[in-house]
């Protein structure tokens, strides 16, 4: 099975998880290429300066300092570099211009003859033409129990809202937002985890869930779980007021 990964150059969590994912891939699955998007933590493309300014304004000075130092450390540690992890395994990069759905970008991806697209924090909206490039379409990891908590930063919202459990969902991507039918879902007790620990744990569990999804697609033996739109909730990026409520509820970022 020929896989193309769609991911982003996240400096905090993704590199080690992608390395874990690649090590655990079954022998019949091969990553033939990858697209690495620019990082967009706020759900849209912004300059590095704008990202820094927003992080400070929304999350406050202690958070800004902590993650500023984590960012600098990540630049010095190749284990946190998504491109380095992929390059070390000889996986080709598909360099795209602008939106991934442009015809010229689709042709580049199509040239690798993918059986399946695997989105791991892919941060662009995928249109039907892209989804049809691969024989089996595209699967995506979302670190929440869909149909609840569609959208951005579910780890923040489940803590703020006092949930006792969260989880991961791997689903077939359609043209909606986190709305496609679910292949694998795993429930996780939140306990006293901070947001940082919750992100680390659910992303790692998510890698195993993606591998399980690939195994199911390869065998052709699976039953889809409905991603019921009537039960959905959707959350965008938090505001400064949301962060104050998060902290007032005794929740921790780290």
């Amino acid at each position: 099975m020929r896989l193309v990964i769609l991911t982003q150059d996240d400096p905090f969590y993704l590199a080690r998880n992608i390395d874990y994912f690649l090590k655990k891939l079954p022998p019949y699955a091969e990553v033939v290429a990858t697209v690495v998007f620019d990082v967009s933590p706020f759900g849209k493309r912004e300059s590095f300066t704008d990202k820094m300014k927003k992080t400070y304004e929304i999350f406050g000075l202690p958070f800004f300092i902590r993650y500023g130092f984590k960012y600098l450390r990540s630049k010095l540690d190749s284990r946190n570099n998504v491109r380095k992890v992929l390059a070390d395994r000889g996986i080709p990069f598909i360099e795209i211009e602008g939106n991934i759905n442009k015809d010229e970008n689709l042709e580049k991806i199509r040239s690798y003859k993918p059986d399946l697209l695997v989105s791991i924090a892919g941060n662009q909206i995928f249109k039907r033409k892209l989804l049809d490039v691969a024989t089996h379409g595209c699967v995506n990891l979302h670190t929440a129990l869909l149909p609840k908590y569609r959208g951005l930063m579910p780890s923040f919202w489940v803590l703020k809202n006092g949930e006792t459990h969260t989880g991961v969902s791997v689903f077939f991507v359609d043209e909606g937002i986190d709305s496609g039918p679910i292949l694998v879902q795993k429930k996780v007790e939140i306990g006293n985890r901070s947001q940082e620990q919750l992100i680390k744990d659910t992303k790692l569990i998510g890698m195993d869930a993606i591998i399980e999804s690939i195994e199911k697609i390869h065998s052709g033996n699976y039953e889809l779980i409905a991603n019921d739109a009537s039960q959905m909730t959707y959350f965008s990026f938090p505001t400064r007021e949301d962060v104050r409520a998060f902290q007032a509820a005794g929740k921790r970022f780290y």
Side-chain angles (χ1 to χ4, degrees), residues 180-216:
I182 300 162
L183 267 164
V184 173
Q185 197 162 61
K186 296 183 181 294
K187 194 173 184 179
V188 177
E189 185 176 3
I190 294 173
N192 65 351
R193 287 180 175 95
S194 66
Q195 189 208 13
E196 183 176 65
Q197 192 60 52
L198 191 60
I199 291 171
K200 288 179 179 177
D201 293 346
T202 52
K203 284 195 181 300
L204 188 61
I205 294 166
M207 296 304 107
D208 287 325
I210 296 172
I211 290 167
E212 185 178 336
S213 298
I214 291 168
E215 291 169 345
K216 288 186 174 187

CSV table of all heavy atoms in Angstrom, one decimal, residues 180-216:
chain,number,residue,atom,x,y,z
A,180,GLY,N,-16.3,13.3,8.3
A,180,GLY,CA,-16.3,12.0,7.6
A,180,GLY,C,-16.6,10.8,8.5
A,180,GLY,O,-16.4,10.9,9.7
A,181,PRO,N,-16.9,9.7,7.9
A,181,PRO,CA,-17.2,8.5,8.7
A,181,PRO,C,-15.9,8.0,9.3
A,181,PRO,O,-14.8,8.1,8.8
A,181,PRO,CB,-17.7,7.5,7.6
A,181,PRO,CG,-17.2,8.0,6.3
A,181,PRO,CD,-17.2,9.5,6.4
A,182,ILE,N,-16.1,7.4,10.6
A,182,ILE,CA,-15.0,7.1,11.4
A,182,ILE,C,-14.6,5.6,11.2
A,182,ILE,O,-15.5,4.7,11.2
A,182,ILE,CB,-15.4,7.4,12.9
A,182,ILE,CG1,-15.7,8.9,13.1
A,182,ILE,CG2,-14.3,7.0,13.8
A,182,ILE,CD1,-16.5,9.2,14.3
A,183,LEU,N,-13.3,5.4,11.1
A,183,LEU,CA,-12.7,4.1,11.0
A,183,LEU,C,-12.4,3.5,12.4
A,183,LEU,O,-12.6,2.3,12.7
A,183,LEU,CB,-11.5,4.1,10.1
A,183,LEU,CG,-11.6,3.8,8.7
A,183,LEU,CD1,-10.4,4.3,7.9
A,183,LEU,CD2,-11.9,2.4,8.4
A,184,VAL,N,-11.7,4.3,13.2
A,184,VAL,CA,-11.2,3.8,14.5
A,184,VAL,C,-11.4,4.9,15.5
A,184,VAL,O,-11.1,6.1,15.2
A,184,VAL,CB,-9.6,3.5,14.4
A,184,VAL,CG1,-9.1,3.2,15.8
A,184,VAL,CG2,-9.4,2.3,13.5
A,185,GLN,N,-11.8,4.6,16.7
A,185,GLN,CA,-12.0,5.5,17.7
A,185,GLN,C,-11.6,4.9,19.1
A,185,GLN,O,-11.9,3.7,19.3
A,185,GLN,CB,-13.5,6.0,17.8
A,185,GLN,CG,-13.7,7.2,18.6
A,185,GLN,CD,-15.1,7.8,18.3
A,185,GLN,OE1,-16.1,7.2,18.5
A,185,GLN,NE2,-15.1,9.1,17.8
A,186,LYS,N,-10.8,5.7,19.8
A,186,LYS,CA,-10.3,5.2,21.1
A,186,LYS,C,-10.6,6.2,22.2
A,186,LYS,O,-10.3,7.4,22.0
A,186,LYS,CB,-8.8,4.9,21.0
A,186,LYS,CG,-8.4,3.8,20.0
A,186,LYS,CD,-7.0,3.4,20.0
A,186,LYS,CE,-6.7,2.3,19.0
A,186,LYS,NZ,-7.3,1.0,19.4
A,187,LYS,N,-11.1,5.7,23.3
A,187,LYS,CA,-11.5,6.6,24.4
A,187,LYS,C,-10.4,6.7,25.4
A,187,LYS,O,-9.7,5.7,25.7
A,187,LYS,CB,-12.8,6.1,25.1
A,187,LYS,CG,-13.4,7.0,26.0
A,187,LYS,CD,-14.8,6.4,26.5
A,187,LYS,CE,-15.5,7.4,27.4
A,187,LYS,NZ,-16.8,6.8,27.8
A,188,VAL,N,-10.2,7.9,26.0
A,188,VAL,CA,-9.1,8.1,26.9
A,188,VAL,C,-9.6,8.9,28.2
A,188,VAL,O,-10.3,9.9,28.0
A,188,VAL,CB,-8.0,9.0,26.3
A,188,VAL,CG1,-6.9,9.4,27.3
A,188,VAL,CG2,-7.4,8.3,25.0
A,189,GLU,N,-9.3,8.3,29.3
A,189,GLU,CA,-9.6,9.0,30.6
A,189,GLU,C,-8.7,10.2,30.8
A,189,GLU,O,-7.5,10.1,30.7
A,189,GLU,CB,-9.6,8.1,31.8
A,189,GLU,CG,-10.1,8.7,33.1
A,189,GLU,CD,-10.1,7.8,34.2
A,189,GLU,OE1,-9.7,6.6,34.1
A,189,GLU,OE2,-10.5,8.2,35.3
A,190,ILE,N,-9.2,11.4,31.1
A,190,ILE,CA,-8.4,12.6,31.2
A,190,ILE,C,-7.7,12.6,32.5
A,190,ILE,O,-6.5,12.9,32.6
A,190,ILE,CB,-9.3,13.9,31.0
A,190,ILE,CG1,-9.8,13.9,29.6
A,190,ILE,CG2,-8.5,15.1,31.3
A,190,ILE,CD1,-10.8,15.0,29.3
A,191,GLY,N,-8.3,12.3,33.6
A,191,GLY,CA,-7.7,12.3,34.9
A,191,GLY,C,-7.2,13.7,35.3
A,191,GLY,O,-7.9,14.7,35.0
A,192,ASN,N,-6.0,13.8,35.8
A,192,ASN,CA,-5.4,15.1,36.2
A,192,ASN,C,-4.4,15.6,35.2
A,192,ASN,O,-3.5,16.4,35.5
A,192,ASN,CB,-4.8,15.0,37.6
A,192,ASN,CG,-3.6,14.1,37.6
A,192,ASN,OD1,-3.3,13.4,36.7
A,192,ASN,ND2,-2.9,14.1,38.8
A,193,ARG,N,-4.5,15.1,33.9
A,193,ARG,CA,-3.5,15.5,33.0
A,193,ARG,C,-3.6,17.0,32.7
A,193,ARG,O,-4.6,17.6,32.7
A,193,ARG,CB,-3.7,14.8,31.6
A,193,ARG,CG,-3.3,13.3,31.6
A,193,ARG,CD,-3.6,12.8,30.2
A,193,ARG,NE,-3.2,11.4,30.0
A,193,ARG,CZ,-4.0,10.4,30.2
A,193,ARG,NH1,-5.2,10.5,30.6
A,193,ARG,NH2,-3.5,9.1,30.0
A,194,SER,N,-2.4,17.6,32.4
A,194,SER,CA,-2.3,19.0,31.9
A,194,SER,C,-2.7,18.9,30.4
A,194,SER,O,-2.7,17.8,29.8
A,194,SER,CB,-1.0,19.6,32.1
A,194,SER,OG,0.0,18.9,31.3
A,195,GLN,N,-2.9,20.1,29.8
A,195,GLN,CA,-3.1,20.1,28.4
A,195,GLN,C,-1.9,19.5,27.6
A,195,GLN,O,-2.0,18.8,26.7
A,195,GLN,CB,-3.4,21.5,27.9
A,195,GLN,CG,-3.9,21.5,26.4
A,195,GLN,CD,-3.6,22.7,25.6
A,195,GLN,OE1,-2.8,23.6,26.1
A,195,GLN,NE2,-4.2,22.9,24.5
A,196,GLU,N,-0.7,19.9,28.0
A,196,GLU,CA,0.5,19.4,27.3
A,196,GLU,C,0.6,17.9,27.4
A,196,GLU,O,0.9,17.3,26.4
A,196,GLU,CB,1.7,20.0,28.0
A,196,GLU,CG,3.1,19.7,27.3
A,196,GLU,CD,4.2,20.4,28.0
A,196,GLU,OE1,4.5,20.1,29.2
A,196,GLU,OE2,4.9,21.2,27.3
A,197,GLN,N,0.3,17.3,28.6
A,197,GLN,CA,0.4,15.9,28.7
A,197,GLN,C,-0.7,15.2,27.9
A,197,GLN,O,-0.5,14.1,27.3
A,197,GLN,CB,0.3,15.4,30.1
A,197,GLN,CG,0.7,14.0,30.3
A,197,GLN,CD,2.1,13.6,29.9
A,197,GLN,OE1,3.0,14.3,30.3
A,197,GLN,NE2,2.3,12.6,29.0
A,198,LEU,N,-1.9,15.8,27.9
A,198,LEU,CA,-3.0,15.3,27.1
A,198,LEU,C,-2.7,15.3,25.6
A,198,LEU,O,-3.0,14.3,24.9
A,198,LEU,CB,-4.3,16.1,27.4
A,198,LEU,CG,-5.6,15.5,26.9
A,198,LEU,CD1,-5.9,14.1,27.5
A,198,LEU,CD2,-6.7,16.5,27.1
A,199,ILE,N,-2.1,16.3,25.1
A,199,ILE,CA,-1.7,16.4,23.7
A,199,ILE,C,-0.7,15.3,23.4
A,199,ILE,O,-0.8,14.5,22.4
A,199,ILE,CB,-1.0,17.7,23.4
A,199,ILE,CG1,-2.1,18.8,23.4
A,199,ILE,CG2,-0.4,17.7,22.0
A,199,ILE,CD1,-1.5,20.3,23.3
A,200,LYS,N,0.4,15.1,24.3
A,200,LYS,CA,1.4,14.1,24.0
A,200,LYS,C,0.7,12.7,24.0
A,200,LYS,O,1.0,11.9,23.1
A,200,LYS,CB,2.4,14.1,25.1
A,200,LYS,CG,3.4,15.3,25.0
A,200,LYS,CD,4.4,15.3,26.1
A,200,LYS,CE,5.3,16.5,26.0
A,200,LYS,NZ,6.3,16.5,27.2
A,201,ASP,N,-0.1,12.4,25.0
A,201,ASP,CA,-0.7,11.1,25.1
A,201,ASP,C,-1.7,10.8,23.9
A,201,ASP,O,-1.6,9.7,23.4
A,201,ASP,CB,-1.4,10.9,26.4
A,201,ASP,CG,-0.5,11.0,27.6
A,201,ASP,OD1,0.7,10.8,27.4
A,201,ASP,OD2,-1.0,11.1,28.7
A,202,THR,N,-2.5,11.7,23.6
A,202,THR,CA,-3.5,11.4,22.5
A,202,THR,C,-2.8,11.4,21.2
A,202,THR,O,-3.3,10.6,20.3
A,202,THR,CB,-4.6,12.5,22.5
A,202,THR,OG1,-4.1,13.8,22.5
A,202,THR,CG2,-5.5,12.4,23.8
A,203,LYS,N,-1.8,12.1,20.9
A,203,LYS,CA,-1.1,12.0,19.6
A,203,LYS,C,-0.5,10.7,19.5
A,203,LYS,O,-0.5,10.1,18.4
A,203,LYS,CB,-0.1,13.2,19.5
A,203,LYS,CG,-0.8,14.5,19.1
A,203,LYS,CD,0.2,15.5,18.6
A,203,LYS,CE,-0.5,16.8,18.3
A,203,LYS,NZ,-1.5,16.7,17.3
A,204,LEU,N,0.1,10.1,20.6
A,204,LEU,CA,0.8,8.8,20.5
A,204,LEU,C,-0.3,7.7,20.3
A,204,LEU,O,-0.1,6.9,19.5
A,204,LEU,CB,1.6,8.6,21.8
A,204,LEU,CG,2.5,7.3,21.7
A,204,LEU,CD1,3.5,7.4,20.6
A,204,LEU,CD2,3.1,7.1,23.1
A,205,ILE,N,-1.4,7.8,21.0
A,205,ILE,CA,-2.5,6.9,20.8
A,205,ILE,C,-3.0,7.0,19.4
A,205,ILE,O,-3.4,6.0,18.8
A,205,ILE,CB,-3.6,7.1,21.9
A,205,ILE,CG1,-3.1,6.8,23.3
A,205,ILE,CG2,-4.8,6.3,21.6
A,205,ILE,CD1,-3.9,7.3,24.4
A,206,GLY,N,-3.0,8.2,18.9
A,206,GLY,CA,-3.5,8.5,17.6
A,206,GLY,C,-2.6,7.8,16.5
A,206,GLY,O,-3.2,7.3,15.5
A,207,MET,N,-1.3,7.7,16.7
A,207,MET,CA,-0.5,7.0,15.8
A,207,MET,C,-0.9,5.5,15.7
A,207,MET,O,-0.9,5.0,14.6
A,207,MET,CB,1.0,7.1,16.2
A,207,MET,CG,1.6,8.5,16.2
A,207,MET,SD,1.4,9.4,14.6
A,207,MET,CE,0.1,10.6,15.0
A,208,ASP,N,-1.1,4.9,16.8
A,208,ASP,CA,-1.6,3.5,16.8
A,208,ASP,C,-2.9,3.4,16.1
A,208,ASP,O,-3.2,2.4,15.4
A,208,ASP,CB,-1.6,3.0,18.2
A,208,ASP,CG,-0.3,2.7,18.8
A,208,ASP,OD1,0.6,2.3,18.1
A,208,ASP,OD2,-0.1,2.9,20.0
A,209,ALA,N,-3.8,4.4,16.3
A,209,ALA,CA,-5.1,4.4,15.7
A,209,ALA,C,-5.0,4.5,14.1
A,209,ALA,O,-5.8,3.8,13.4
A,209,ALA,CB,-6.0,5.5,16.2
A,210,ILE,N,-4.1,5.3,13.7
A,210,ILE,CA,-3.9,5.4,12.2
A,210,ILE,C,-3.4,4.1,11.6
A,210,ILE,O,-3.9,3.6,10.6
A,210,ILE,CB,-2.9,6.5,11.9
A,210,ILE,CG1,-3.4,7.9,12.3
A,210,ILE,CG2,-2.6,6.5,10.4
A,210,ILE,CD1,-2.4,9.0,12.2
A,211,ILE,N,-2.4,3.5,12.3
A,211,ILE,CA,-1.9,2.2,11.9
A,211,ILE,C,-3.0,1.2,11.8
A,211,ILE,O,-3.2,0.4,10.9
A,211,ILE,CB,-0.7,1.7,12.8
A,211,ILE,CG1,0.5,2.6,12.5
A,211,ILE,CG2,-0.4,0.3,12.5
A,211,ILE,CD1,1.6,2.5,13.5
A,212,GLU,N,-3.9,1.1,12.9
A,212,GLU,CA,-5.0,0.2,12.9
A,212,GLU,C,-5.9,0.5,11.7
A,212,GLU,O,-6.5,-0.4,11.0
A,212,GLU,CB,-5.8,0.3,14.2
A,212,GLU,CG,-6.9,-0.6,14.3
A,212,GLU,CD,-7.6,-0.5,15.7
A,212,GLU,OE1,-7.0,-0.1,16.6
A,212,GLU,OE2,-8.8,-0.9,15.7
A,213,SER,N,-6.1,1.8,11.4
A,213,SER,CA,-7.0,2.2,10.2
A,213,SER,C,-6.4,1.6,8.9
A,213,SER,O,-7.1,1.1,8.0
A,213,SER,CB,-7.1,3.7,10.2
A,213,SER,OG,-7.8,4.2,11.3
A,214,ILE,N,-5.1,1.8,8.8
A,214,ILE,CA,-4.4,1.3,7.5
A,214,ILE,C,-4.6,-0.2,7.4
A,214,ILE,O,-4.8,-0.7,6.3
A,214,ILE,CB,-2.9,1.7,7.6
A,214,ILE,CG1,-2.8,3.2,7.4
A,214,ILE,CG2,-2.1,1.0,6.5
A,214,ILE,CD1,-1.4,3.7,7.7
A,215,GLU,N,-4.4,-0.9,8.5
A,215,GLU,CA,-4.6,-2.4,8.5
A,215,GLU,C,-6.0,-2.7,8.1
A,215,GLU,O,-6.3,-3.7,7.3
A,215,GLU,CB,-4.3,-2.9,9.9
A,215,GLU,CG,-2.8,-2.9,10.3
A,215,GLU,CD,-2.5,-3.2,11.7
A,215,GLU,OE1,-3.5,-3.2,12.5
A,215,GLU,OE2,-1.4,-3.4,12.1
A,216,LYS,N,-7.0,-2.0,8.6
A,216,LYS,CA,-8.4,-2.3,8.2
A,216,LYS,C,-8.7,-2.0,6.7
A,216,LYS,O,-9.3,-2.8,6.0
A,216,LYS,CB,-9.4,-1.4,9.1
A,216,LYS,CG,-9.4,-1.9,10.5
A,216,LYS,CD,-10.5,-1.1,11.3
A,216,LYS,CE,-10.7,-1.6,12.7
A,216,LYS,NZ,-11.8,-1.0,13.4
